Amino acid sequence: MDVASLLPLSTARLSLRLFTPGDADGLYAYQSLPSVARYLYRPVHTRERSEQVAAERAAQTAWRADGDKLSLAVCRRDEPGVLGEVSLALADARAAQAEIGWTVHPGHQGHGYATEAATALAEFAFDALGVHRLYARLDVENTGSVRVCERLRMRREAHLVENDLDGDRWGSEYIYAALPADLGGRSGD
């Protein structure tokens, strides 16, 4: 399936759309921050890397095979610019399991944008893409993302202790998950 024809997604305040190469500046504005990169277990982005990532994400519209990924720019409907992103990665096509993620520029955190965007993407995953199980992996110290998972009514299924070495720091992870019925009373059919 090519998901481009199903986009953008809209919420009361947000538009979730495919990235374009022109989004490199917006992407760089938050992906270059150490406070953001810390929870993504990778180095900060350079301007050049942000250009590459924006172009790669603009072309990612397939949803059929293990490893396919959909990354959407999160934008306010009433003004230009990228606030952050939400993503889905097809972890297991046969079992219809996908990983959801979100990142919001620190200057836009605390306004409910991550929850609003993640809710829209989760509904899209279940309703349009046929996902059976959605999960999120996050650093236990990322309390903002913990709150987003809980607002989405995801279950905490695991606490992995010191399972990842990020540079010289051991990190622990939570794994949250949801089935369609867990989010807003969907039947799961």
Side-chain angles (χ1 to χ4, degrees), residues 16 86 100 102 113-123 148 152 183:
L16 312 179
V86 288
I100 189 171
W102 48 83
Y113 296 133
T115 300
E116 188 173 332
T119 298
L121 188 61
E123 290 172 355
V148 171
L152 288 173
L183 277 72

Side-chain angles (χ1 to χ4, degrees), residues 69-72 85-89 99-103 121 134:
K69 188 169 184 178
L70 175 65
S71 296
L72 301 177
E85 63 196 72
V86 288
S87 65
L88 282 175
E99 181 176 0
I100 189 171
W102 48 83
T103 306
L121 188 61
L134 195 61

Side-chain angles (χ1 to χ4, degrees), residues 4-130:
S5 64
L6 304 175
L7 300 170
L9 306 178
S10 293
T11 69
R13 301 181 296 166
L14 304 173
S15 175
L16 312 179
R17 60 165 175 78
L18 289 172
F19 275 90
T20 68
D23 291 324
D25 287 336
L27 193 61
Y28 179 70
Y30 60 92
Q31 292 285 0
S32 64
L33 301 172
S35 62
V36 170
R38 173 181 182 214
Y39 293 126
L40 300 175
Y41 298 108
R42 59 140 181 84
V44 298
H45 278 185
T46 62
R47 178 69 172 78
E48 180 180 81
R49 180 66 183 138
S50 291
E51 289 174 4
Q52 292 169 343
V53 169
E56 289 167 6
R57 290 180 179 173
Q60 294 174 331
T61 61
W63 188 264
R64 66 180 66 87
D66 292 0
D68 284 350
K69 188 169 184 178
L70 175 65
S71 296
L72 301 177
V74 175
C75 307
R76 279 192 290 249
R77 291 175 63 179
D78 59 352
E79 57 186 80
V82 175
L83 305 175
E85 63 196 72
V86 288
S87 65
L88 282 175
L90 188 53
D92 187 328
R94 183 179 165 281
Q97 296 197 40
E99 181 176 0
I100 189 171
W102 48 83
T103 306
V104 174
H105 187 294
H108 298 290
Q109 292 174 356
H111 301 286
Y113 296 133
T115 300
E116 188 173 332
T119 298
L121 188 61
E123 290 172 355
F124 179 73
F126 289 131
D127 297 343
L129 301 179

Side-chain angles (χ1 to χ4, degrees), residues 88 95-100 102 118-119 121-123 125-126 130-137 148-158 175-186 188:
L88 282 175
Q97 296 197 40
E99 181 176 0
I100 189 171
W102 48 83
T119 298
L121 188 61
E123 290 172 355
F126 289 131
V131 168
H132 169 72
R133 180 175 177 273
L134 195 61
Y135 68 92
R137 296 174 42 218
V148 171
C149 288
E150 291 170 353
R151 287 184 194 119
L152 288 173
R153 291 179 270 202
M154 298 177 86
R155 280 179 309 288
R156 185 182 302 170
E157 293 186 338
I175 298 178
Y176 281 83
L179 300 173
D182 297 324
L183 277 72
R186 287 180 163 68

